[in-house]
Amino acid sequence: MLRRVCRSRVFVVFVFFALLALGSFVFQLSYISELASLHDFSLHLTHSKDGQMVDRGHETAAASETRKTPPAQPGKSASPPVAPTKKTGTDAKPPPAKPSEQKKPTGKSSDTKPEPAEKPSGNHGGVKRLSWSIIKETHPDIHNPVPSDRRHIPNRGHSDLNEIELRFRRSKVRKAMLHAWNSYEKYAWGADEVHPLTKTSKSWMGNGCGATIIDSLDTLWIMNLKNEYRKARDWVKNSFDFRKMGNISVFEATIRVVGGLLSAFSFSGEKVFLEKARAVGDFFTERFNKGTGYAPAYIDLGSGASSNERWVPGGGYLFTQVGSLQLEYRELSYATGDPKYAKLMDRSMKTIKDHFPQDCLPGKYINPNSLGFYDVTTIGSMADSSFEYLLKQVVQMHALPSVANPIREMYECFVDNLARHMVRTTNGPLKLTYVAERRGGLDHRMDELACYFPGVLALGALHKMQNLESAPEGAEKARARAGRDLLLAHELGRTCYQAWRTS
């Protein structure tokens, strides 16, 4: 009798653990499948005919309705729902708003040592910390795509860390920067980048321009790495010659070279950086289309010849090619006092606005003749930074509402319709929020490059909350949009983390 009881108990225990293991396996399988459906930078379980990751098993009624909408035609563009951008006066210096204006020292010699970066105060150097509790979702016109059971954001942030923990984290970041910089200096000095495994160098911006050096100037200054900063500055002063770079991407050279030099000038006040940035800016902008304000994809810095991407269908522009230059050239006008660069950017934004689709969800290509948008709508590759620049121009030009407000309307319209028509959530246990791509209907995949977008949404929410009283749409609607954007930023960031964690 005792043996039978023992055997039955052993059998029950065995069955219990077998069921537990089976349940765990099923949950893990659904977990992996959910991540893999997002994009091919995660696990590969489901493939479409073209090899991309897809998940069409949970398309909602709203998505089906969107699928019925025909794709935008290259030659037809609807008028945007925004007012025309007003240009600044011919003699006016266009001063972008600077939330914490820094005085730029003049007459500094090239041997001046950089001062240590100021210790951030409890309110993040004068920028008020955003309180999650004051964000209210009260406006009925604002569609929130985040499921109701996911609408919770942990109230944690920089100020929750004590000074010892902050110092420890800063020292680790500084140590990592020094490790990378010393390797670059040893194996690839003057080249665009270092290959850490083979300990070799590579130059991919034309014939090379020392991109890592120029990109690192402001970081070296902020981290108070004096010796490294001086060596980088001297290289720019004595060795950087943009005319030797050959045929180069205008977009890449603008954001990395012009932007890097202007950032270094903004921190240090050393004129050599402004002079170099102006020389590159003058050479480039002289070859922009003066009617549209659009830049060519490539300019040969030796001959001056320009060209577009040959592989773009219809020979069109990339949206990133024409929509991701404005911050640098507006800043160049501010730093030099010459409004010609900002005026050219005003013209490019007016062209974009005049041909922006009515639903504010543009394709990633621009027809060179009609200037209308076409092809897939995505926040990923070949369109990504253009949406980032819409918001950052609003922040940069906040002191000039006549310039900022039409751009703000484009950005808000874009995010409103993106949230309503393109944001979806997976069916699995993780409930991962993602932004699908749209080509008439929805394609349920999200590019890895889309993981910049949570930061854009969070910055937009912060800017709204800091400027509620001057919000053109009214404080209540601006507050509701900020709440939705923060939730969406939080959920998209979680999705990107889960995808990276399991890749």
Side-chain angles (χ1 to χ4, degrees):
M1 183 69 181
L2 184 59
R3 289 181 179 177
R4 289 182 181 178
V5 171
C6 291
R7 287 175 182 173
S8 63
R9 287 182 178 177
V10 169
F11 178 74
V12 169
V13 171
F14 173 77
V15 171
F16 172 77
F17 280 105
L19 291 174
L20 186 64
L22 180 63
S24 176
F25 173 76
V26 171
F27 176 80
Q28 290 294 330
L29 184 62
S30 63
Y31 175 92
I32 293 172
S33 299
E34 185 179 3
L35 287 171
S37 68
L38 290 178
H39 188 53
D40 57 345
F41 77 94
S42 186
L43 301 177
H44 298 265
L45 293 182
T46 307
H47 296 270
S48 65
K49 292 180 180 179
D50 61 357
Q52 297 293 337
M53 301 309 300
V54 294
D55 177 12
R56 299 187 186 279
H58 55 277
E59 186 171 18
T60 62
S64 300
E65 185 176 341
T66 305
R67 187 178 291 280
K68 297 175 184 178
T69 307
Q73 299 297 322
K76 297 180 181 180
S77 301
S79 298
V82 293
T85 304
K86 294 181 181 178
K87 297 179 180 178
T88 55
T90 55
D91 297 324
K93 173 182 175 182
K98 294 189 175 291
S100 55
E101 191 71 26
Q102 296 182 352
K103 293 182 179 179
K104 299 174 182 176
T106 57
K108 263 190 174 182
S109 69
S110 60
D111 296 326
T112 304
K113 298 181 181 180
E115 295 298 327
E118 290 187 11
K119 176 181 173 182
S121 63
N123 64 350
H124 299 258
V127 178
K128 207 173 171 185
R129 186 184 171 199
L130 187 60
S131 172
W132 310 114
S133 62
I134 64 173
I135 304 294
K136 306 295 182 184
E137 299 175 72
T138 56
H139 206 282
D141 295 343
I142 304 301
H143 173 71
N144 193 338
V146 178
S148 57
D149 59 344
R150 292 294 314 165
R151 295 181 185 180
H152 169 70
I153 301 177
N155 191 8
R156 301 183 311 180
H158 176 91
S159 61
D160 296 318
L161 300 173
N162 59 42
E163 186 62 29
I164 295 176
E165 179 67 15
L166 284 174
R167 287 179 181 273
F168 175 77
R169 293 189 177 194
R170 289 179 191 135
S171 69
K172 289 294 184 182
V173 173
R174 195 171 187 265
K175 185 177 179 180
M177 173 61 185
L178 271 173
H179 172 74
W181 178 262
N182 290 337
S183 297
Y184 168 79
E185 185 177 345
K186 183 176 181 179
Y187 299 111
W189 184 252
D192 287 339
E193 63 183 41
V194 61
H195 287 185
L197 297 181
T198 59
K199 299 178 181 178
T200 57
S201 63
K202 179 183 178 181
S203 290
W204 54 273
M205 292 187 64
N207 298 324
C209 65
T212 292
I213 297 175
I214 297 175
D215 249 350
S216 302
L217 283 163
D218 51 358
T219 303
L220 296 172
W221 177 277
I222 292 169
M223 292 186 174
N224 199 31
L225 297 171
K226 300 179 181 179
N227 294 331
E228 292 76 10
Y229 166 80
R230 290 194 199 99
K231 185 170 183 178
R233 176 203 59 202
D234 291 344
W235 184 91
V236 171
K237 182 178 180 180
N238 300 319
S239 302
F240 174 72
D241 182 358
F242 76 92
R243 297 299 294 267
K244 296 179 180 178
M245 291 161 59
N247 196 43
I248 194 168
S249 164
V250 177
F251 163 70
E252 294 287 355
T254 295
I255 65 172
R256 300 181 191 281
V257 177
V258 178
L261 291 169
L262 286 173
S263 181
F265 170 72
S266 180
F267 279 108
S268 69
E270 298 200 49
K271 295 294 185 181
V272 61
F273 299 131
L274 181 58
E275 292 166 0
K276 299 280 188 178
R278 187 169 195 170
V280 178
D282 283 340
F283 192 89
F284 279 172
T285 54
E286 287 170 4
R287 288 154 181 84
F288 285 17
N289 186 305
K290 298 302 185 290
T292 62
Y294 285 177
Y298 294 93
I299 292 178
D300 190 307
L301 297 177
S303 66
S306 60
S307 60
N308 272 343
E309 297 282 8
R310 296 180 180 178
W311 53 265
V312 176
Y317 296 98
L318 297 175
F319 190 17
T320 49
Q321 173 186 333
V322 300
S324 306
L325 310 174
Q326 287 78 9
L327 293 175
E328 287 78 12
Y329 289 111
R330 291 190 195 281
E331 179 66 21
L332 188 56
S333 275
Y334 177 81
T336 61
D338 189 340
K340 69 179 182 180
Y341 313 105
K343 288 181 179 179
L344 193 59
M345 295 303 100
D346 288 344
R347 204 168 303 138
S348 70
M349 288 310 302
K350 184 178 186 306
T351 305
I352 291 174
K353 178 191 69 62
D354 287 346
H355 297 86
F356 219 54
Q358 193 168 12
D359 64 0
C360 303
L361 297 174
K364 63 182 181 181
Y365 301 139
I366 297 176
N367 188 294
N369 301 313
S370 69
L371 301 179
F373 292 84
Y374 65 101
D375 206 77
V376 63
T377 299
T378 175
I379 61 169
S381 177
M382 292 176 280
D384 48 355
S385 54
S386 296
F387 300 123
E388 174 192 351
Y389 272 50
L390 282 180
L391 172 65
K392 289 184 176 179
Q393 284 182 84
V394 174
V395 177
Q396 183 188 47
M397 303 303 293
H398 181 66
L400 291 176
S402 62
V403 176
N405 285 347
I407 303 173
R408 183 201 311 270
E409 290 180 34
M410 279 194 287
Y411 171 77
E412 299 296 357
C413 180
F414 162 69
V415 176
D416 285 349
N417 283 289
L418 182 89
R420 187 174 297 277
H421 298 299
M422 295 174 63
V423 176
R424 294 291 181 265
T425 303
T426 59
N427 281 335
L430 292 179
K431 293 185 179 180
L432 297 175
T433 299
Y434 63 98
V435 181
E437 296 184 349
R438 191 182 78 160
R439 194 195 303 264
L442 290 184
D443 192 357
H444 292 269
R445 63 186 182 192
M446 188 170 80
D447 190 4
E448 183 184 13
L449 281 177
C451 289
Y452 76 96
F453 199 60
V456 173
L457 291 170
L459 175 62
L462 177 62
H463 185 70
K464 291 183 188 73
M465 293 305 298
Q466 290 178 331
N467 298 280
L468 286 176
E469 295 181 0
S470 60
E473 69 270 41
E476 184 182 339
K477 191 168 185 176
R479 188 189 299 271
R481 277 175 164 156
R484 176 210 53 202
D485 292 356
L486 276 174
L487 286 168
L488 186 53
H490 182 264
E491 289 303 298
L492 289 175
R494 187 175 71 95
T495 297
C496 291
Y497 165 75
Q498 292 290 354
W500 285 323
R501 190 171 72 90
T502 58
S503 297

